[in-house]
């Protein structure tokens, strides 16, 4: 991968996690001694990714201060989504892209994952690479459909029974596909699409021939949307498989 850039989206209100997020943004929820954000930044650092664009909004001062205090070695640029209360990740990604040239890793700011996820993405060829957990999905999860090794559709709207697995919110975009994806994000971040997730830009791309699912099944990962997800993440990464893998790093 030619670039060492990453984009983290962490602007949302996280209303589904209240009261846990009444006083802090979701990315600063602790999983043991480290926050979700700490774990993401540590994983990026471990893989040599030190230039990071982070989109913030809700409780952004707390995020900026946390980064200054705990990660002074990283070049983190915080970009404010001024409309974070009325827009979703499609618009946050649009705001980030002008500050991140070339290839980049993408992370939703609420995913707790094993650092090995990044290695599997970084080892892949050019194109769009989505980290996918092969499992039976729920309605709430972002699902992918795969045909002949290529992702042909993505979104929460897909039938869980027919999906290939869950996109966990971690991806890599490189080469000509990254440029095409940038253009698609800019085209779709328009009035009427304020509440679309960033995956909508992938869903609407006419040519997905370079978009692939990278199987990360077996590597611990949790997207924290609800209180039960947070409890599960703590169990997995402090007392379960994720904790054991951390100890081996």
């Amino acid at each position: 991968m030619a670039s060492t850039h990453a984009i983290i989206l962490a602007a949302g209100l996280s209303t589904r996690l209240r009261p846990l997020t009444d006083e802090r943004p979701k990315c600063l929820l602790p999983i043991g001694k480290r926050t979700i954000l700490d774990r993401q930044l540590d994983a990026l650092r471990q893989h040599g990714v030190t230039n990071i664009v982070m989109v913030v909004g809700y409780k952004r001062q707390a995020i900026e201060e946390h980064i200054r205090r705990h990660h002074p070695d990283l070049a983190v640029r915080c970009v404010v989504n001024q409309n974070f209360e009325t827009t979703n990740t499609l618009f946050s990604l649009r705001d980030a892209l002008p500050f991140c040239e070339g290839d980049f890793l993408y992370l939703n700011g609420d995913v707790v994952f094993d650092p090995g996820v990044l290695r599997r993405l970084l080892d892949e060829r050019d194109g769009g690479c989505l980290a996918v957990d092969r499992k039976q999905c729920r309605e709430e999860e972002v699902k992918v459909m795969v045909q002949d090794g290529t992702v042909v559709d993505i979104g929460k709207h897909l039938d869980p029974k027919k999906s290939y697995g869950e996109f966990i919110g971690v991806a890599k975009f490189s080469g000509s596909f990254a440029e095409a994806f940038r253009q698609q994000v800019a085209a779709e971040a328009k009035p009427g699409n304020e509440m679309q997730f960033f995956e909508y830009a992938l869903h609407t791309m006419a040519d997905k021939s370079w978009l692939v699912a990278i199987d990360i099944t077996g590597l611990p990962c949790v997207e924290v949307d609800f209180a039960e997800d947070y409890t599960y993440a703590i169990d997995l990464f402090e007392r379960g498989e994720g904790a054991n893998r951390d100890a081996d790093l």
Side-chain angles (χ1 to χ4, degrees), residues 1 103-108 117-133 144 146 149-151 154 164 166-179 181 198-199 202 205 207-216:
M1 184 173 175
D103 304 345
F104 64 96
L105 289 162
Y106 169 96
L107 293 80
N108 285 335
V117 170
L118 295 185
R119 174 47 51 203
R120 292 195 185 180
L121 292 174
L122 291 167
D123 284 345
E124 286 298 318
R125 60 182 173 84
D126 284 350
C129 300
L130 309 179
V132 175
D133 190 2
V144 297
V146 174
T150 300
V151 175
I154 181 171
Y164 178 84
E166 178 195 0
F167 168 54
I168 68 164
V170 183
K172 182 190 75 171
F173 298 102
S174 57
S176 59
F177 187 89
E179 181 56 33
F181 178 51
F198 100 95
E199 294 91 352
L202 293 171
M205 289 184 77
D207 183 4
K208 300 184 183 68
S209 58
W210 284 83
L211 183 62
V212 298
I214 304 304
D215 189 350
I216 55 88

Side-chain angles (χ1 to χ4, degrees), residues 67-78:
I67 293 170
R68 280 194 295 269
R69 291 182 60 190
H70 299 283
H71 302 277
D73 60 311
L74 297 179
V76 181
R77 175 193 288 268
C78 288

Side-chain angles (χ1 to χ4, degrees), residues 8-238:
I8 302 175
L9 303 188
L13 292 163
S14 307
T15 56
R16 294 178 296 184
L17 269 169
R18 291 181 177 172
L20 292 171
T21 53
D22 282 347
E23 302 300 328
R24 71 178 85 193
K26 188 187 337 185
C27 67
L28 293 187
L29 289 174
I31 307 291
K33 295 180 180 180
R34 292 185 291 164
T35 67
I36 296 174
L37 178 58
D38 291 330
R39 290 173 176 271
Q40 291 194 345
L41 294 178
D42 289 345
L44 290 169
R45 183 189 289 107
Q46 179 181 328
H47 288 89
V49 182
T50 56
N51 295 294
I52 299 156
V53 177
M54 188 160 185
V55 183
V56 295
Y58 178 65
K59 304 288 185 183
R60 63 181 181 268
Q61 294 88 353
I63 296 173
E64 293 166 354
E65 177 61 22
H66 185 88
I67 293 170
R68 280 194 295 269
R69 291 182 60 190
H70 299 283
H71 302 277
D73 60 311
L74 297 179
V76 181
R77 175 193 288 268
C78 288
V79 176
V80 180
N81 177 349
Q82 299 290 352
N83 300 307
F84 68 90
E85 295 185 78
T86 56
T87 62
N88 213 323
T89 56
L90 176 62
F91 280 70
S92 284
L93 182 55
R94 179 203 62 183
D95 293 345
L97 286 173
F99 301 97
C100 185
E101 297 181 357
D103 304 345
F104 64 96
L105 289 162
Y106 169 96
L107 293 80
N108 285 335
D110 58 358
V111 185
V112 190
F113 59 87
D114 185 282
V117 170
L118 295 185
R119 174 47 51 203
R120 292 195 185 180
L121 292 174
L122 291 167
D123 284 345
E124 286 298 318
R125 60 182 173 84
D126 284 350
C129 300
L130 309 179
V132 175
D133 190 2
R134 298 291 309 277
K135 67 174 188 177
Q136 179 60 51
C137 296
R138 302 173 295 180
E139 293 288 344
E140 167 64 23
E141 294 164 340
V142 176
K143 299 166 283 290
V144 297
M145 299 289 290
V146 174
Q147 183 176 337
D148 298 327
T150 300
V151 175
V152 295
D153 206 356
I154 181 171
K156 292 187 177 184
H157 65 283
L158 299 177
D159 185 346
K161 295 180 181 179
K162 298 179 180 179
S163 69
Y164 178 84
E166 178 195 0
F167 168 54
I168 68 164
V170 183
K172 182 190 75 171
F173 298 102
S174 57
S176 59
F177 187 89
E179 181 56 33
F181 178 51
R182 288 171 183 275
Q183 295 176 15
Q184 193 72 9
V185 170
E188 296 297 345
K190 60 187 179 181
N193 285 345
E194 287 86 355
M195 296 313 296
Q196 293 288 357
F197 294 93
F198 100 95
E199 294 91 352
Y200 183 74
L202 293 171
H203 165 70
T204 57
M205 289 184 77
D207 183 4
K208 300 184 183 68
S209 58
W210 284 83
L211 183 62
V212 298
I214 304 304
D215 189 350
I216 55 88
T217 306
L219 294 176
C221 61
V222 184
E223 186 165 20
V224 180
D225 289 321
F226 302 97
E228 54 266 33
D229 299 328
Y230 181 49
T231 299
Y232 177 60
I234 293 172
D235 289 341
L236 183 61
F237 284 89
E238 283 303 297

